[in-house]
């Protein structure tokens, strides 16, 4: 029996969910629903834990899914995908599945998600300039996600895909300390 990683399994569910949305030409609507589900999953752990419990009565789980679908007005595609996830006992992977769906959506739309770590929040003018520079350099639309971390001290840490550009004062000070101590700086 072949063993799959939870990431591979989550990616397969997300891929099927995304393709079902594309087939119906409602990927934007389903993307919005996925964002709602991510928020619900983060804030209402109790309901999702009930779905993850090893209850043999599928009717209970189905009624919970139908209740969630009605409450946040899910499309048939999202409700069905959620039901399949629950029926196949993969609800513990839901956060990964939702994240993979978002990645697929961004990839399909040519959007690169960029995480910016700074010591302080950037002004609107700085945000606009940074966005323009990144879109020009990456030659695609970017979605900026900011993390404020006072330990950065100054500068920026920019990460996207598997790339990291660390132009923070913290890193520059570490390099200087290494250089002064006779270490090799790369």
């Amino acid at each position: 029996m072949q063993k799959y990683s939870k990431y591979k399994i989550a990616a397969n569910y997300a891929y099927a969910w995304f393709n079902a949305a594309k087939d119906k030409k409602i990927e934007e609507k389903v993307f919005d629903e996925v964002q709602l589900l991510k928020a619900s999953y983060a804030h209402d752990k109790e309901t999702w834990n009930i779905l993850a419990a090893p209850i043999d009565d599928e009717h209970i789980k189905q009624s919970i899914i139908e209740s969630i679908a009605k409450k946040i007005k899910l499309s048939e595609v999202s409700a069905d995908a959620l039901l399949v996830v629950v029926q196949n006992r993969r609800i513990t992977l839901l956060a990964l599945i939702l994240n993979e769906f978002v990645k697929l959506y961004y990839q399909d739309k040519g959007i690169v998600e960029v995480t910016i770590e700074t010591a302080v929040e950037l002004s609107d003018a700085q945000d606009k300039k940074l966005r323009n520079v990144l879109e020009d350099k990456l030659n695609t639309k970017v979605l900026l996600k900011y993390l404020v971390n006072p330990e950065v001290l100054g500068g920026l840490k920019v990460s996207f895909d598997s790339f990291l550009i660390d132009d923070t004062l913290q890193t520059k000070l570490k390099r200087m300390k290494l250089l002064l101590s006779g270490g090799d700086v790369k």
Side-chain angles (χ1 to χ4, degrees), residues 112-117 145 147 157-165:
V112 174
E113 188 174 18
V114 180
T115 302
I116 309 294
E117 192 172 346
K145 181 175 138 188
L147 299 174
K157 190 183 288 187
V158 179
S159 59
F160 58 95
D161 294 334
S162 61
F163 297 98
L164 173 66
I165 302 165

Side-chain angles (χ1 to χ4, degrees), residues 101-120:
F101 183 98
V102 169
K103 287 179 187 175
L104 287 169
Y105 177 83
Y106 288 155
Q107 184 179 25
D108 185 67
K109 301 299 177 192
I111 300 170
V112 174
E113 188 174 18
V114 180
T115 302
I116 309 294
E117 192 172 346
T118 62
V120 295

Side-chain angles (χ1 to χ4, degrees), residues 82-115:
L82 204 50
L83 192 56
V84 167
V85 168
V86 170
Q87 288 172 340
N88 292 340
R89 301 180 194 277
R90 299 295 189 190
I91 198 70
T92 57
L93 300 179
L94 185 61
L96 289 173
I97 294 167
L98 297 173
N99 288 335
E100 285 299 314
F101 183 98
V102 169
K103 287 179 187 175
L104 287 169
Y105 177 83
Y106 288 155
Q107 184 179 25
D108 185 67
K109 301 299 177 192
I111 300 170
V112 174
E113 188 174 18
V114 180
T115 302

